[in-house]
Amino acid sequence: MEPYDVLAGLDPEQRAVAEATRGPVCVLAGAGTGKTRAITHRIAYAVHSGVVEPQAVLAVTFTTRAAGELRQRLRALGAPGVQARTFHAAALRQLTYFWPRVIGGDAPSIIESKLPVLIEACRRVRRNPDRAELRDIASEIEWAKVTQVAADDYAAAAKKAGRTPPIPGEEVARLYEAYEEIRRERHLVDFETILELTAAVMTEHQEVAAQIRQQYRYFVVDEYQDVNPLQKLLLDTWLGGRDDLCVVGDPNQTIYSFTGATPRYLTGFTVEHPGASVIKLVRDYRSTPQVVGLANKVLEKARSPHRLELVAQRPEGPVPVFAEFDDEPAEAEGVAKAVRKLIDSGVSAREIAVLFRINAQSEAYEQAFTTAGVPYLVRGAERFFERPEVREAVVLLRGAARSAAADDPLAPTVHHILGGKGFTPQPPDGGRARERWESLKALAELAEDMAARGADLPAFVAELERRAAEQHAPPIEGVTFASLHSAKGLEWDAVFLVGLTDGMMPIVYAETPDQTEEERRLLYVGVTRARAHLHLSWALARTPGGRKSRRPSRFLDGLTGRSVTPPRTASSGRDRRAAAAPVSCRICAKTLTTGAEQKLGRCTTCPSDYDEALLERLKAWRSTTAKEAKVPAYVVFTDVTLQAIAERVPTSEADLLMIPGIGRVKLDRYGEMVLTLCRTAGGEAGEQHSPGEHVEHVELFEQDG
């Protein structure tokens, strides 16, 4: 490949980055502007131009997956020898190599989690915090270590930084000191210590520093706005006074200050390196003009002087939708309906995400999506390649690859092997069995994709091992539930930002101006995850019938337009009030609190007559319908919903809509058949319901997109 081939297809700013082969270089790259493309082409152009040998380049990223993507792109650009690693992976590699020479003996073991050591530290200082407190204390210790704060100085430093530890600062300091004592006694290192020791070994042993600096002379650091003081210390030690450094970042996406990260290294780069080239990437290739316009408006009131005004490059798209709901369950149900509508219109479930401020918000959406029959997965749970069923399947596939014949068809072979682990043509009902099936299905689909490109079983296994090393899981069909923090770096066709109320966005404990500004940037990150469809919503109360005291996030002021309430079907104000009222048991009149009781319209302990024959006919119909649609039975209707139908024996669409969990989508899809079954049961009289039972179901998000 010739150098000019590498420059083909780059826009003017990306080309400027690629041609700036000598540092120091600072690239300010807005969301969706192709920063990974720019820096990989810069490295490849430097290699093909003879500026640097590929083995002399160290590209540093923040995630294993990002490092894997860099290596993959560089291989495609003819620069396969470049080292792309995370800070920790690069430091560990160096520390492990030099340890026998400069320290001697066995290298220390790595602590994957601080909690076991911290529990022992608690015993030493005679404290007994709960597990939630332990996690928060571990976070405080991590913050202290990355900001280079010793145990003796922790209490004062935490107070100065405005941190709110779960226990008094002096007690955190005692636990911090005990944790470090146990770690040293047991010859252990955590992730922060790996960076500290690598920098210390280079500082104290000049021959080590000379060898590393001879090896790496050309540095690229991605996501530079998220660098913390400890990482900066190690980077400076690697550089050893040299300035062949290119940093890439976006100060508007600084969302990890609570971990010790700081954007000042990015925003102050030209102060540290007065002769640095600064190049801005602002052409947004990810999102539509409508999404980009909203993202720019979110930052208009930001106090930062480093705001990048994005310029959309894609064609026009749907207008972002703002939706207000009476309560959180109604919001979750409305979002589930809107997602179902998108899926029915052709948007893949894997290209849709529901993003929230804190993980605890996901519960309502898990329940609503299960009721609506929409598949989902929760990001941040167990890593794909660490799931037992995936590990076992990979072992079987690896064994089969050793004895595979050259003409063995890939896809049928993989399907046969996965069949032994429980993979079936049709998915099982919900729960853990469905999760296992989805994992195996993702492996099967990857095999089918590779088979279409002519791959065999050994090549498929090699690809799995590469992906496992880089934590690059194959996509699983389902809507992604994720926190805004964990969504950083990802993108979807459709994004639903939920729970956007003051107190949640910004979060209630964002008290200082800087903390509030970080919350604004977090919303900006959420908005810029969307390619085309963007929905923003909030609820005025937590529970049905609760006081509507909440207000939309202050960050939405002036953005929602005149109508912030989603379109509703024609209904009276009386009906709307009834929808928000608590649901009472139709037998004992107690307020019903669980979803199952609200569906039944009674307490589960209260007696109720129902037509057993009707219930059996409903279950038989559901089984047949599910098989025809190739979906689990619960996706059609849950057992509780069928029980509620059998008890109430609805005879009209209005009667059906009174049963919580049955909305317009399911009414349109299954209503006629269900009503036919009920009418043939002879239950024309139906049940009488109290006003408190009535729940209005309206189609939300009527706008396109």
Side-chain angles (χ1 to χ4, degrees), residues 346-669:
V347 179
S348 171
R350 70 178 61 169
E351 287 296 345
I352 302 173
V354 176
L355 306 181
F356 31 77
R357 177 60 180 84
I358 59 174
N359 289 322
Q361 290 173 275
S362 75
E363 183 179 358
Y365 293 88
E366 293 180 45
Q367 181 175 340
F369 275 58
T370 298
T371 300
V374 179
Y376 65 87
L377 58 99
V378 182
R379 183 173 177 81
E382 190 177 31
R383 289 179 172 179
F384 180 83
F385 286 101
E386 294 175 0
R387 297 176 185 176
E389 64 272 17
V390 174
R391 289 202 310 267
E392 293 164 5
V394 170
V395 169
L396 292 175
L397 290 165
R398 190 182 295 125
R402 295 192 188 102
S403 57
D407 58 349
D408 285 349
L410 174 58
T413 301
V414 171
H415 275 260
H416 175 72
I417 293 169
L418 297 181
K421 299 305 299 177
F423 181 61
T424 57
Q426 301 303 324
D429 284 349
R432 178 60 184 143
R434 177 62 185 252
E435 292 177 9
R436 286 175 56 86
W437 185 89
E438 290 286 0
S439 298
L440 298 176
K441 179 172 180 280
L443 293 176
E445 288 181 343
L446 180 60
E448 291 164 6
D449 291 343
M450 292 188 66
R453 300 195 297 268
D456 57 10
L457 186 58
F460 175 64
V461 171
E463 174 67 7
L464 288 179
E465 290 174 342
R466 181 189 71 79
R467 286 170 174 255
E470 297 172 0
Q471 290 301 327
H472 182 194
I476 294 178
E477 191 60 37
V479 176
T480 299
F481 290 176
S483 70
L484 286 163
H485 282 100
S486 66
K488 177 80 163 33
L490 303 175
E491 58 187 77
W492 295 269
D493 286 344
V495 169
F496 290 76
L497 302 177
V498 301
L500 299 180
T501 59
D502 256 12
M504 189 59 74
M505 177 59 68
I507 198 75
V508 66
Y509 48 77
E511 298 175 348
T512 68
D514 285 346
Q515 290 170 340
T516 301
E517 284 303 301
E518 180 141 329
E519 292 288 301
R520 184 192 303 275
R521 294 193 296 269
L522 190 57
L523 176 61
Y524 172 80
V525 167
V527 169
T528 55
R529 299 310 94 194
R531 298 190 191 106
H533 305 277
L534 179 62
H535 299 243
L536 304 94
S537 62
W538 58 92
L540 299 178
R542 187 175 69 84
T543 58
R547 190 164 66 91
K548 298 176 183 178
S549 58
R550 296 175 174 177
R551 66 180 296 270
S553 168
R554 69 193 72 170
F555 301 145
L556 299 181
D557 288 350
L559 304 183
T560 59
R562 291 185 178 181
S563 176
V564 298
T565 304
R568 298 176 183 266
T569 56
S571 60
S572 68
R574 179 176 169 274
D575 286 338
R576 290 178 60 187
R577 285 191 297 274
V583 181
S584 301
C585 174
R586 64 177 186 269
I587 297 169
C588 72
K590 285 185 179 179
T591 299
L592 304 177
T593 57
T594 69
E597 289 180 335
Q598 290 173 0
K599 280 189 179 183
L600 292 173
R602 62 175 175 82
C603 302
T604 54
T605 54
C606 285
S608 178
D609 294 328
Y610 65 93
D611 188 332
E612 294 185 11
L614 172 59
L615 182 59
E616 290 306 312
R617 284 197 296 273
L618 286 168
K619 288 183 176 180
W621 162 80
R622 179 183 66 173
S623 177
T624 302
T625 303
K627 286 179 181 177
E628 290 174 353
K630 298 181 179 179
V631 297
Y634 74 87
V635 170
V636 180
F637 284 122
T638 64
D639 287 345
V640 174
T641 301
L642 292 186
Q643 176 81 21
I645 293 171
E647 290 186 10
R648 302 190 187 193
V649 197
T651 58
S652 67
E653 290 189 355
D655 290 341
L656 266 179
L657 285 175
M658 289 181 182
I659 300 175
I662 301 180
R664 179 61 58 181
V665 173
K666 288 200 174 184
L667 180 69
D668 292 343
R669 195 170 290 169

Side-chain angles (χ1 to χ4, degrees), residues 53 57 100 102 143 184 187 282 323 326 334 422 450 462 474 481 489 547-548 552 613 643-644 662:
E53 292 295 321
V57 180
V102 298
W143 172 81
R184 287 190 290 265
H187 199 44
V282 295
D326 289 340
M450 292 188 66
F481 290 176
R547 190 164 66 91
K548 298 176 183 178
Q643 176 81 21
I662 301 180

Side-chain angles (χ1 to χ4, degrees), residues 10-67:
L10 300 179
D11 70 28
E13 294 79 24
Q14 292 170 345
R15 181 171 181 137
V17 173
E19 291 180 328
T21 54
R22 286 298 185 186
V25 178
C26 177
V27 181
L28 298 176
T33 57
K35 68 180 178 67
T36 304
R37 179 179 174 83
I39 60 176
T40 51
H41 281 70
R42 177 181 184 270
I43 294 169
Y45 185 68
V47 168
H48 289 296
S49 301
V51 172
V52 65
E53 292 295 321
Q55 295 78 11
V57 180
L58 179 58
V60 185
T61 70
F62 274 77
T63 67
T64 303
R65 179 170 182 174

Side-chain angles (χ1 to χ4, degrees), residues 80-342:
V82 172
Q83 295 295 306
R85 301 183 182 278
T86 64
F87 271 103
H88 293 101
L92 180 60
R93 184 182 177 91
Q94 294 166 12
L95 188 64
T96 303
Y97 179 81
F98 287 106
W99 187 276
R101 185 193 308 179
V102 298
I103 307 296
D106 295 333
S109 300
I110 300 171
I111 300 172
E112 295 291 340
S113 167
K114 288 182 172 62
L115 293 186
V117 178
L118 194 51
I119 289 170
E120 179 61 29
C122 288
R123 294 194 187 103
R124 286 197 180 183
V125 301
R126 297 185 178 178
R127 272 203 64 92
N128 188 30
D130 61 31
R131 195 163 186 84
E133 276 187 340
L134 276 174
R135 285 195 293 267
D136 290 341
I137 294 167
S139 296
E140 289 303 301
I141 293 174
E142 288 171 6
W143 172 81
K145 296 190 75 169
V146 302
T147 54
Q148 299 288 274
V149 172
D152 290 344
D153 302 322
Y154 168 80
K159 184 177 181 180
K160 183 178 179 181
R163 298 185 70 83
T164 53
I167 58 177
E170 293 75 15
E171 294 188 32
V172 173
R174 290 175 60 208
L175 284 172
Y176 179 10
E177 185 175 10
Y179 167 87
E180 288 290 87
E181 287 175 356
I182 295 168
R183 184 188 59 74
R184 287 190 290 265
E185 289 169 4
R186 298 182 181 176
H187 199 44
L188 304 172
V189 292
D190 52 27
F191 291 119
E192 296 78 36
T193 307
I194 291 170
L195 305 191
E196 289 174 336
L197 285 176
T198 303
V201 166
M202 289 184 68
T203 301
E204 296 172 11
H205 300 271
Q206 290 304 308
E207 71 281 9
V208 172
Q211 188 171 339
I212 291 175
R213 289 168 187 160
Q214 178 65 25
Q215 171 72 47
Y216 298 117
R217 301 188 298 277
Y218 200 82
F219 293 84
V220 177
V221 183
D222 194 11
E223 303 287 2
Y224 200 58
Q225 78 279 351
D226 290 330
V227 165
N228 62 49
L230 179 55
Q231 292 165 333
K232 181 63 164 58
L233 170 67
L234 179 59
L235 177 62
D236 289 343
T237 308
W238 280 337
L239 285 165
R242 299 169 296 175
D243 64 0
D244 229 338
L245 169 67
C246 173
V247 301
V248 188
D250 180 1
N252 298 317
Q253 295 191 67
T254 303
I255 59 173
Y256 291 108
S257 295
F258 63 93
T259 67
T262 172
R264 71 173 183 268
Y265 303 127
L266 177 65
T267 57
F269 191 80
T270 54
V271 176
E272 186 178 1
H273 302 278
S277 301
V278 178
I279 304 167
K280 295 182 179 181
L281 302 182
V282 295
R283 300 177 196 244
D284 189 318
Y285 297 95
R286 174 187 299 160
S287 305
T288 62
Q290 287 71 22
V291 173
V292 170
L294 182 60
N296 286 333
K297 288 179 181 177
V298 167
L299 290 182
E300 274 182 359
K301 297 180 181 178
R303 297 188 302 116
S304 170
H306 305 286
R307 187 166 62 88
L308 294 173
E309 185 87 12
L310 298 176
V311 181
Q313 304 298 301
R314 287 187 55 179
E316 298 286 323
V319 175
V321 175
F322 296 88
E324 182 177 280
F325 295 87
D326 289 340
D327 50 69
E328 288 181 3
E331 183 182 9
E333 182 182 346
V335 169
K337 287 181 178 179
V339 168
R340 169 54 70 188
K341 188 176 179 181
L342 277 177

